[in-house]
Amino acid sequence: MKKLFVEETVNKIGKEVELYGWVDSKRDHKKIIFIDLRDRSGIVQIVGDEKFKDLTSEDVVWIRGLVKKRPENLVNPKIKTGKIEIEAKEVKILNKTKPLPLPVNTDGYEINEEVRLKYRYLDLRRPRLYKNLALRSKYIDLIRQFFLKKDFLEIETPILSETTPEGARDFIVPSRLQPGNFYALPQSPQQYKQLLMIAGVERYFQIARCFRDEDPRADRAYGEFTQLDLEMSFVEREDVMKITEDMIVEVYEKLQIPLQKKPFPVFSYKEAIVKFGADKFDLRTEEEKKTNIQAFAWVVDFPFFEKTGEGGWTFTHNPFSAPLPQYMKDLLQKKNIANLLTSQYDLVCNGYEVGGGSIRNHTPEGLRAVFEIMGLSRDEIELKFGHMLEALSYGAPPHGGIAPGIDRLLTCIAGEPSLREVIPYPMTSGGRTSVMNAPSPASDKQLKELGIKIAK
Ligand code: ASP
């Protein structure tokens, strides 16, 4: 097993070391040949002779050599190992590379997205992207630690499931055992997490994958994304907002990422519209935008319903939300609909909506009223949400939750222009997967088993 990362060689002056990695670059001065050896930790300069003759950039090598202090005038302050270099004693090529289809020693922004994603495994060799992967891993670890400390259970919920509406189209998966029937991939774990509250779990979280077939938009990842999904019983709006904020303060402190204001400012939807013209806004000054300060804020008191094009009503955020307590009577009587305010809270950061949640309707009457206002018939309600209405009728505790989007939050922290820079294997904007060739046709045998005919 590899025992030493390149970066650790600075502590090995005078010692012989064995290193594994990639040839990052080669400078051939005939008698002396220098290479920079790269691994995930960084690069180090290695001095060799004709031993290095056959090496080309991106070959995978093993090298044994002596770590030496560089003379003062040759120190390179730009790299962590700039004070040393390694005198090669022996080198083995573990795997020779073909010429790469794209450069990996630039920051990569200049390269066409299709090419980057087709060769994502090479694209990820860029130190910038490795750094983003490492940040993502650390970030999720700190979030986990926070919630486990607070007695939350981390629970997985199904991926093959029934539709759960979050305002997008579903991805559907045909069933072989029941031809003509389909699973839907969850737009969020919303219903399952509420059912966990009815099960008596009281505090749940999950680093959850969600699937939404939305029209591609520059500020969204197409197809799937990751959110910190959480739900708690016996809470009010302010409790969920507080624990979310406490988590962010702790995690960002540990990552040494500055927060603009603590506690986070709270705006009503009306105030936000008057002040910023939108319910997501950037509180940073122009100066602050040059730093990586994170300006969080909350938006509350949203209207529950909005008019549809056909003159009916639909939910603005989440059909499972409860109204603010003072509007519950109106909701149950289905009156004053335009003025009903929901218990929804949205989290905003640096101009983006980075998450939202609400206190839920925990009585079947409340939830039913929402669907009735939306114009669903008794049968439709029963068919789509009968299981929820029934579950809510068996002693459901008051509960609420939230789901901050991990990809967006990381994009803000990393100061990246796009979500794709922090998602390991994002889809192209046209909805094709990185590296692998999906979507792709199913075989005739598969289609037959599923009872599906493709219309020409
Ligand atoms: N289910 C919501 C979403 O995915 C979040 C929540 O209300 O907890 O946006």
Side-chain angles (χ1 to χ4, degrees), residues 4-199:
L4 195 70
F5 284 107
V6 153
E7 188 188 275
E8 296 163 335
T9 52
V10 278
N11 308 316
K12 302 276 179 200
I13 294 174
K15 299 230 166 74
E16 201 171 272
V17 295
E18 290 185 44
L19 295 172
Y20 293 83
W22 287 260
V23 176
D24 194 66
S25 61
K26 177 175 162 186
R27 296 175 294 285
D28 193 337
H29 301 290
K30 297 291 180 273
K31 282 219 176 86
I32 297 191
I33 301 175
F34 293 96
I35 64 163
D36 283 343
L37 182 75
R38 183 189 76 237
D39 72 6
R40 53 180 256 184
S41 69
I43 57 174
V44 67
Q45 171 164 289
I46 309 200
V47 193
D49 43 27
E50 73 279 3
K51 286 197 279 298
F52 282 180
K53 190 163 82 286
D54 296 335
L55 298 183
T56 43
S57 289
E58 299 307 311
D59 282 347
V60 187
V61 294
W62 168 89
I63 287 173
R64 183 170 60 80
L66 182 66
V67 183
K68 288 180 149 179
K69 216 169 154 183
R70 290 198 207 184
E72 216 44 60
N73 58 333
L74 294 179
V75 165
N76 178 357
K78 287 197 205 114
I79 57 174
K80 278 197 202 144
T81 58
K83 285 202 165 102
I84 58 143
E85 62 184 7
I86 294 171
E87 190 184 291
K89 303 280 187 203
E90 197 183 346
V91 56
K92 275 187 212 148
I93 299 183
L94 302 178
N95 209 349
K96 192 87 199 131
T97 183
K98 290 204 296 187
L100 300 195
L102 72 175
V104 298
N105 52 9
T106 64
D107 64 22
Y109 294 119
E110 75 288 1
I111 304 168
N112 168 286
E113 175 193 289
E114 303 272 329
V115 176
R116 284 184 62 195
L117 295 185
K118 173 160 187 222
Y119 298 104
R120 185 60 159 181
Y121 51 93
L122 297 178
D123 195 43
L124 289 172
R125 282 189 192 168
R126 272 169 234 300
R128 174 174 70 85
L129 290 196
Y130 177 78
K131 222 171 106 201
N132 288 351
L133 290 182
L135 171 69
R136 188 175 181 112
S137 171
K138 181 82 200 157
Y139 192 65
I140 291 175
D141 177 42
L142 292 172
I143 291 173
R144 264 207 179 96
Q145 283 181 33
F146 177 90
F147 286 107
L148 293 174
K149 232 169 31 204
K150 296 248 185 280
D151 294 323
F152 281 69
L153 292 196
E154 182 171 8
I155 300 177
E156 291 152 285
T157 52
I159 297 294
L160 290 174
S161 181
E162 201 185 346
T163 184
T164 195
E166 295 279 357
R169 278 191 202 86
D170 287 324
F171 282 99
I172 59 174
V173 180
S175 156
R176 178 180 60 84
L177 296 180
Q178 293 168 46
N181 289 303
F182 296 82
Y183 302 96
L185 305 185
Q187 292 186 32
S188 81
Q190 182 68 36
Q191 298 188 56
Y192 286 113
K193 69 173 169 177
Q194 289 193 244
L195 294 168
L196 287 172
M197 296 304 106
I198 300 171

Side-chain angles (χ1 to χ4, degrees), residues 242-441:
K242 168 102 176 34
I243 199 156
T244 307
E245 191 164 325
D246 287 350
M247 180 276 291
I248 291 173
V249 168
E250 180 174 310
V251 169
Y252 283 58
E253 221 158 69
K254 289 197 168 153
L255 291 172
Q256 297 184 321
I257 293 163
L259 297 175
Q260 191 201 45
K261 284 203 183 94
K262 290 182 282 191
F264 302 163
V266 182
F267 300 91
S268 73
Y269 172 74
K270 261 200 188 139
E271 274 171 348
I273 295 296
V274 170
K275 240 181 138 139
F276 311 108
D279 56 2
K280 48 189 167 194
F281 41 82
D282 199 338
L283 293 175
R284 292 172 303 170
T285 61
E286 287 309 314
E287 273 312 297
E288 284 173 332
K289 283 183 188 164
K290 294 179 195 142
T291 71
N292 82 333
I293 206 161
Q294 307 293 302
F296 282 96
W298 291 103
V299 184
V300 297
D301 298 348
F302 291 92
F304 201 132
F305 296 98
E306 63 190 5
K307 280 260 180 228
T308 63
E310 295 84 52
W313 293 103
T314 188
F315 59 92
T316 60
H317 285 80
N318 188 335
F320 297 100
S321 299
L324 287 177
Q326 61 271 34
Y327 293 96
M328 185 53 103
K329 230 169 132 194
D330 284 352
L331 177 83
L332 291 174
Q333 293 172 4
K334 288 172 271 176
K335 63 174 210 218
N336 194 23
I337 296 171
N339 299 314
L340 292 182
L341 297 184
T342 164
S343 61
Q344 176 82 21
Y345 26 86
D346 271 5
L347 185 61
V348 169
C349 179
N350 293 6
Y352 294 98
E353 185 212 314
V354 292
S358 64
I359 300 300
R360 323 300 182 185
N361 254 320
H362 69 283
T363 66
E365 297 75 31
L367 185 59
R368 184 181 290 282
V370 173
F371 294 132
E372 285 173 356
I373 290 172
M374 285 164 54
L376 270 64
S377 71
R378 204 161 245 288
D379 287 351
E380 280 172 315
I381 294 174
E382 197 42 49
L383 188 71
K384 287 191 184 145
F385 302 107
H387 58 278
M388 279 307 278
L389 293 168
E390 185 176 11
L392 290 177
S393 67
Y394 299 134
H399 60 282
I402 188 168
I406 302 270
D407 307 310
R408 172 58 66 200
L409 286 164
L410 282 170
T411 308
C412 289
I413 299 177
E416 289 286 8
S418 146
L419 292 162
R420 292 194 186 89
E421 306 296 338
V422 301
I423 298 177
Y425 294 103
M427 288 209 209
T428 66
S429 41
R432 301 202 63 84
T433 52
S434 294
V435 189
M436 303 221 230
N437 192 28
S440 56

